Amino acid sequence: MIPAPYLLYLGRSNDAVGIKTSRGLAEFRPDDCVGEFRHDDGPLTLGLPRLTMAEGAAAGAKTLVLGIANSGGKMGADLIADAVAALEAGMNVAAGLHQRLRDVPEIASLAEERGLSLFDVRDPPANLPVGNGNPRAGHRLLTVGTDCSVGKMYTTIALTRAIQARGIPADFRATGQTGILIAGDGVPVDAVVADFISGAIEQLAPARNDNGWDVIEGQGSLFHPSFAGVSTGLLHGAQAEALVMCHDPMREHMRGIPGRALPDLAECLEHNLRVARLTSPDVRAVGICLNTSAMDRDDARKLCDTIAEQLGLPCTDPIAFGTDTIVDALLAG
Amino acid sequence: MIPAPYLLYLGRSNDAVGIKTSRGLAEFRPDDCVGEFRHDDGPLTLGLPRLTMAEGAAAGAKTLVLGIANSGGKMGADLIADAVAALEAGMNVAAGLHQRLRDVPEIASLAEERGLSLFDVRDPPANLPVGNGNPRAGHRLLTVGTDCSVGKMYTTIALTRAIQARGIPADFRATGQTGILIAGDGVPVDAVVADFISGAIEQLAPARNDNGWDVIEGQGSLFHPSFAGVSTGLLHGAQAEALVMCHDPMREHMRGIPGRALPDLAECLEHNLRVARLTSPDVRAVGICLNTSAMDRDDARKLCDTIAEQLGLPCTDPIAFGTDTIVDALLAG
């Protein structure tokens, strides 16, 4: 386990979506976050106390969490210098980028010298099995998306808590760096070797017989040309009986690919169901979740109603309006 | 490059499909193969001289190729003992399994002691890019399949040669261990980190402007619950203008998964085209290739004719009947 509490890194990121790991920890593990670190020219804040590395360590932070994500997952000179500064201040460092902290010589040697730990959250487990798609017991729900970073993790956690609130066992199954840091467990599915994508998810959400739910965090999108392979293997490994589709109505183009339009909602949902049927022939869609955080509340409500009518499914913003309508549909099934 | 000539390993494999790497080398690089190594209880042969490790080395073999594939790609005690014996006989060892030769301590230490080399063909290249799906110049054809190991590599090489025979530049782009050993180059796409599947193929088959073709070897199947993520990323990265679908009419169930039926041919083709359209909106199917090696020749011809009529596309066995009908359809497009 990664020693808490945490100092959350924002650096000089100007990408509100890219800081999702730091934001997720602030949102879902607020008691474990002492503050945020950002440079003078970093425009983003989580509303936490702004602390230097030394102040963070003095405030009790045991670990700097490099909670930013970027396509490709490489560390620039900036990030390396800040990780070094955190170690010099006496903190461990955790990151979820594809490039490993331990593979950066200056970070690795300094950590060893100071007796501090490096946590590479995106390290996949060893000895993953190849998936087989054979039917297994248990209830599973998977979140899917029109794009990357559209709220799948928030939705998955919200649904897990809402099912638990009905007195039904439910477990959040994390598949990305942020979810893994929040849950303290999971599999970084985009970092596994390609042959083992579905097998990793079969292992993450094995057969269960307690009538409870595994609520599995989706990744990417079948319509994202960078990452659809991950999404496909996740659908097959999850063998979900229920899908919830997530969408950001303010997204202007597929993340990282200017000019590429988002898919039509109905087409996206239908294609996800079709791919899912390979291992879960009776899969059904139970709801749509929107991230309306950038919208006026009335407009958000109206948009949810419009989409609900168009698709014939409950549609909500899980943060603004809760997930009760979706859980009703799920449990009525 | 891996020093030739080769001694081809069969061991005691009783899986005619599993020895496809050894068979592929025997077929496509016959001049580089001095013989085959199999145990007394190994039922399979490639028709090459059966040699012990010592006889292979004496016959000039520079490298033992562990040319067998198994789901999951781990080495058993058998394989390790035979690799050790090859090193003791003075040969290098090459393999394409997920488990690396260099990660087996007794193999690694003996190779070092004897000054011999280990070649792990499934090592993906470093610094792969994330795919983007942006349109790029050039003609590309991709082979896809109803299942794993249905003849995609044979078909891809046959098509490459047939296009070259028309005086048009064409390059075989290998994506699996066998193809890479034959071509001496390529990317082991099932071994790359999941986020980089499509990016690996974009790098393997970059833009070209000579009016020639990149003929890309497909992997797995959209209908295989273990590996469909790889096939999806390959379709998106290939950005192919033409697909050829491969099928083994004798296959009783999806490879490695007893009880799971193969997809309907028309449904499989349509689904591949649909997934491909994300990055290649005008993609078209140009033919079907069957592996009829286990069938009577007349029956094989009749089956090709029947499928050609059903799907409205040329259908052939590339080894038995050539690929002219498909290349005609390709170049007429």
Side-chain angles (χ1 to χ4, degrees):
Chain A
M1 291 294 298
I2 300 171
Y6 307 131
L7 178 62
L8 302 177
Y9 184 82
L10 302 176
R12 37 177 68 87
S13 175
N14 59 4
D15 176 3
V17 174
I19 62 165
K20 68 180 177 176
T21 298
S22 288
R23 175 179 287 125
L25 281 169
E27 171 86 20
F28 292 106
R29 292 184 60 180
D31 296 345
D32 287 327
C33 302
V34 302
E36 64 186 37
F37 175 90
R38 57 185 164 86
H39 288 288
D40 286 340
D41 53 348
L44 300 175
T45 176
L46 301 170
L48 295 177
R50 182 183 172 196
L51 304 177
T52 64
M53 296 293 178
E55 289 166 347
K62 296 277 192 299
T63 305
L64 174 74
V65 178
L66 286 176
I68 64 174
N70 55 356
S71 187
K74 299 236 184 79
M75 271 176 257
D78 251 38
L79 223 58
I80 293 173
D82 290 336
V84 164
L87 291 165
E88 281 174 346
M91 290 182 282
N92 306 297
V93 180
L97 301 164
H98 275 300
Q99 189 184 2
R100 306 294 190 255
L101 292 165
R102 63 167 185 274
D103 291 339
V104 180
E106 39 193 316
I107 294 176
S109 61
L110 185 60
E112 192 178 345
E113 190 184 312
R114 302 290 169 101
L116 295 165
S117 297
L118 303 175
F119 298 94
D120 284 304
V121 177
R122 225 163 182 169
D123 269 344
N127 297 316
L128 285 171
V130 167
N132 58 48
N134 293 333
R136 63 191 192 277
H139 295 299
R140 285 175 299 280
L141 179 152
L142 173 68
T143 52
V144 298
T146 51
D147 194 2
C148 305
S149 306
V150 290
K152 290 187 281 288
M153 189 202 73
Y154 274 68
T155 297
T156 310
I157 294 175
L159 286 166
T160 307
R161 292 177 175 180
I163 297 169
Q164 289 166 342
R166 308 271 178 117
I168 298 168
D171 292 285
F172 168 51
R173 300 299 185 196
T175 61
Q177 53 180 359
T178 309
I180 293 169
L181 278 161
I182 292 169
D185 198 6
V187 64
V189 67
D190 62 4
V192 309
V193 166
D195 251 2
F196 299 94
I197 302 171
S198 63
I201 303 303
E202 291 182 2
Q203 180 172 280
L204 176 72
R208 66 185 292 171
N209 292 290
D210 62 351
N211 219 28
W213 285 81
D214 276 358
V215 191
I216 305 170
E217 177 192 10
Q219 293 293 334
S221 165
L222 292 183
F223 291 83
H224 198 298
S226 312
F227 309 120
V230 173
S231 311
T232 299
L234 229 165
L235 275 161
H236 291 161
Q239 202 177 107
E241 74 178 72
L243 299 185
V244 170
M245 187 172 74
C246 302
H247 177 60
D248 177 352
M250 308 303 278
R251 189 66 56 89
E252 291 175 358
H253 57 76
M254 292 299 281
R255 181 157 167 78
I257 309 187
R260 178 172 283 276
L262 269 72
D264 172 75
L265 291 182
E267 183 189 1
C268 183
L269 187 61
E270 189 277 319
H271 191 48
N272 273 280
L273 288 166
R274 177 170 175 178
V275 172
R277 276 185 205 110
L278 185 72
T279 59
S280 183
D282 299 324
V283 62
R284 63 197 174 98
V286 294
I288 311 294
C289 282
L290 305 182
N291 174 358
T292 66
S293 55
M295 296 176 70
D296 170 80
R297 195 176 168 88
D298 285 345
D299 290 346
R301 174 60 81 188
K302 272 183 216 149
L303 182 63
C304 287
D305 292 346
T306 303
I307 291 175
E309 188 161 336
Q310 279 171 352
L311 299 183
L313 288 171
C315 179
T316 184
D317 178 322
I319 306 296
F321 308 125
T323 57
D324 272 345
T325 51
I326 293 177
V327 175
D328 287 344
L330 179 70
L331 300 178
Chain B
M1 290 294 297
I2 300 172
Y6 307 130
L7 178 62
L8 302 178
Y9 184 83
L10 302 176
R12 37 177 68 86
S13 176
N14 59 4
D15 176 3
V17 175
I19 62 164
K20 66 179 179 177
T21 298
S22 288
R23 175 178 287 124
L25 281 169
E27 171 86 21
F28 293 106
R29 294 184 61 179
D31 296 345
D32 288 327
C33 302
V34 302
E36 64 186 37
F37 174 91
R38 59 185 164 85
H39 289 287
D40 286 341
D41 52 349
L44 300 176
T45 176
L46 300 171
L48 296 178
R50 182 182 172 196
L51 304 177
T52 63
M53 295 295 177
E55 289 166 347
K62 297 277 193 299
T63 304
L64 174 75
V65 178
L66 286 176
I68 64 173
N70 56 356
S71 187
K74 299 235 182 80
M75 272 177 255
D78 250 39
L79 224 58
I80 292 173
D82 289 335
V84 163
L87 291 165
E88 281 173 347
M91 289 181 283
N92 306 297
V93 180
L97 300 164
H98 275 300
Q99 190 184 0
R100 307 294 189 254
L101 293 164
R102 64 167 184 274
D103 291 340
V104 180
E106 39 195 316
I107 295 176
S109 61
L110 185 59
E112 192 178 346
E113 190 185 312
R114 302 289 169 102
L116 294 165
S117 297
L118 303 175
F119 298 94
D120 284 305
V121 177
R122 224 164 184 168
D123 269 344
N127 296 316
L128 285 171
V130 167
N132 58 48
N134 293 334
R136 63 190 192 277
H139 295 300
R140 285 175 298 281
L141 179 153
L142 173 69
T143 52
V144 299
T146 53
D147 194 2
C148 306
S149 306
V150 290
K152 291 187 281 286
M153 190 203 72
Y154 274 68
T155 297
T156 310
I157 294 175
L159 286 167
T160 306
R161 293 177 175 180
I163 297 169
Q164 289 167 341
R166 308 273 178 116
I168 298 167
D171 293 285
F172 168 51
R173 300 299 185 196
T175 61
Q177 54 180 0
T178 308
I180 293 169
L181 277 161
I182 293 169
D185 198 6
V187 64
V189 67
D190 63 4
V192 308
V193 166
D195 251 2
F196 299 94
I197 303 170
S198 63
I201 303 304
E202 291 182 3
Q203 180 173 281
L204 175 71
R208 68 186 291 171
N209 292 291
D210 63 351
N211 218 29
W213 285 82
D214 276 358
V215 191
I216 305 169
E217 177 192 10
Q219 292 294 333
S221 166
L222 292 183
F223 290 83
H224 199 298
S226 311
F227 309 120
V230 173
S231 311
T232 299
L234 230 164
L235 275 160
H236 291 163
Q239 202 177 110
E241 75 178 71
L243 299 185
V244 170
M245 187 171 76
C246 302
H247 176 59
D248 177 353
M250 309 303 278
R251 189 65 55 88
E252 290 175 358
H253 58 74
M254 293 298 281
R255 182 158 167 78
I257 309 187
R260 178 172 284 275
L262 269 73
D264 172 75
L265 291 182
E267 182 189 1
C268 182
L269 187 61
E270 188 277 319
H271 192 48
N272 273 281
L273 288 167
R274 178 171 175 177
V275 172
R277 278 187 203 109
L278 186 72
T279 59
S280 184
D282 298 325
V283 63
R284 64 198 174 97
V286 294
I288 311 294
C289 282
L290 305 182
N291 174 358
T292 66
S293 55
M295 296 175 71
D296 171 79
R297 197 177 166 90
D298 286 344
D299 291 345
R301 173 61 80 186
K302 274 183 212 147
L303 183 62
C304 287
D305 292 346
T306 303
I307 291 175
E309 188 161 337
Q310 280 171 353
L311 299 183
L313 288 170
C315 178
T316 184
D317 179 322
I319 306 296
F321 308 125
T323 58
D324 273 344
T325 51
I326 293 178
V327 175
D328 287 344
L330 178 70
L331 299 178

